[in-house]
Amino acid sequence: MNYLEKANLWKNNPNLDSALKKELNAMDDKALQEAFTTDLEFGTGGLRGILGAGTNRMNIYIVSKATLGFGRYLSKFKEAFKRGVAIAHDNRHQSKEFARISAEVLTTLGFHVYLFEELRPTPELSYAVRHFGCVGGIMITASHNPKEYNGYKIYDGSGCQLVPKEADQVIAEINKIEDYFAIDHSKNHDNIEYIGREVDEVYMNEVKKIVLRPNLDKDFKLVYTPLHGTGQVFAPEVLKSVGYDVYPLACQMTNDPDFSGVKTSNPENKEAYDEAIAYAKEIGAKIVLATDPDADRLGIAVEHQGEYILFTGNQTASLVLDYILKTRKELNILPKDGYVFTTNVSSTLPIAIAEKYGMQVEITLTGFKFIGEKAREMESGKGTYVFGFEESYGCLVSDFVRDKDSIQAILMLCETAAYYREKGMDLVEALQAIYEEYGYYKEGITNISLQGLAGAAKIQRIMDYFRTKEITLKNFEILLKDDIKLSVKKDYKKNTTENICLPKSNVIKYYLNDNMWFVLRPSGTEPKLKVYYGVVGKTEEEAKAKLQELTDEVLAIVHTID
């Protein structure tokens, strides 16, 4: 069925939602192609797309279809209907409606549903799945994407996002559904159990258990912003309850689906901090904390010599991990069988830190579901979970949650700051001390935005080029190449190949001399190609120069590809 046939199927449906019908009738041919040529697919963060009419858009029909497929998949597990499904949502347009419809589809199938009455963070949804002993979970969110987007994450019974082998089974069930307009969600609504503050309390109590040094002085001001998202539910309350002097940014502490009080809802972007930093300067705050709309990621800015310095996710993770391991060793609670988990696009500095303290390190693909899966493996007696992180501002301190958790990250980051403050250092100086010990690790990322069908095709051509051509770099020696899609590692020194034991994914990583690297990876949630870089230098200046050289050389190759 081509895009026009699919569009006409929607147009001719007498029961089509009136708002979607109006939008559909206003579409020109190009818009119809974008909305109907492909179907919205599961990526690293589940479903995520622009709100609107069409099979390639987020709307009530696509959500109903996904939920019916997910429900049929879950129904195969023991006592699935009785165990039930937990559902939460963020502050976005239609999030509450998508959560409600998901709940109704599941109750019609016979499931008990635990539905949060109001917006809640992603990590609490992960916790709720385990707290209630559910068979699965659903989080309605598009994380940090612009306001035009919404999304749909699915969780297994351990509170972990589904890994590919499990998601493929859900997708197979979804693909069996032909008429998503006929999906019934009218029955058994009494099986929806609304939840809220009672779960909040037990979740917050678990979060506060991660504190290592409860008696540190906390005599410094913090500014916090949820960027209009779900972090407003917990972050200020948790910080205040353990003694921190936190000042929420009132104009961004509102449930606003248009994100009207911020320039961007993504804490990876410096513009997200403009208003919060202005407030921090006004009141003399030492740290600015920003969580993304579903509150699974944390970004920070640190006052240093009168300026506010933004930290990357890699830098924050390095600081927090170093503090955790150092403190656990001093308190004699560092496990001998400890594991630290990271991803293949993240800094290698935390690996060096972990290895210094005798921790085992495992590297996964991008997507915190893979770290959640590793945490689950620890239950079999393999080892003790200590820390997990990915470069995109996400980490997990304690694995009572099986997804990244900004509320935990906030608490541990502030404790790290308090620890160094007692030593007369701010976090910029603390990070500098780590660099002086381990070397100057510096990372970068280039986001190449390529919209629509033409953009997707170009991303594929770029990946095919690097997959099939032998490239050379002027100032760097290529030692190894991982092609995760083909499951092959090539050793250029030995001229040999070997298999890679990772799930297949369209990712290519090059390992260079002196512990440097770069990775090409199409985003699983946005229409862009991501290029990641990592270098190490003896000085900060040397690292900066190497990063610029590597970025320029790689992009020069990318830009030659039509």
Side-chain angles (χ1 to χ4, degrees), residues 108-214:
T108 300
L109 284 173
F111 285 92
H112 188 85
V113 171
Y114 299 91
L115 177 62
F116 280 96
E117 291 185 276
E118 300 297 338
L119 75 169
R120 286 297 187 274
T122 286
E124 188 182 12
L125 182 276
S126 173
Y127 174 73
V129 170
R130 303 184 75 192
H131 175 70
F132 289 112
C134 294
V135 70
I138 297 170
M139 181 70 198
I140 306 296
T141 180
S143 187
H144 59 281
N145 284 58
K147 65 181 180 180
E148 295 82 10
Y149 284 75
N150 212 324
Y152 181 98
K153 296 179 182 179
I154 53 178
Y155 290 78
D156 64 19
S158 72
C160 177
Q161 287 189 59
L162 268 66
V163 295
K165 62 185 178 182
E166 297 165 345
D168 286 347
Q169 296 177 55
V170 176
I171 292 167
E173 292 292 344
I174 293 171
N175 290 340
K176 293 175 185 176
I177 302 166
E178 295 183 359
D179 188 359
Y180 34 76
F181 296 116
I183 294 171
D184 188 5
H185 56 89
S186 65
K187 300 182 179 68
N188 306 321
H189 294 178
D190 289 345
N191 284 347
I192 299 175
E193 181 179 341
Y194 292 95
I195 57 176
R197 195 62 192 174
E198 70 279 9
V199 184
D200 300 344
E201 293 292 343
V202 289
Y203 167 73
M204 285 193 291
N205 287 337
E206 288 294 325
V207 168
K208 287 186 278 191
K209 289 179 183 177
I210 71 172
V211 172
L212 294 171
R213 300 180 190 267

Side-chain angles (χ1 to χ4, degrees), residues 428-445:
V428 174
E429 293 162 336
L431 182 62
Q432 184 72 14
I434 292 173
Y435 287 147
E436 288 172 2
E437 179 177 356
Y438 293 94
Y440 286 80
Y441 287 70
K442 198 162 186 63
E443 297 77 35
I445 182 171

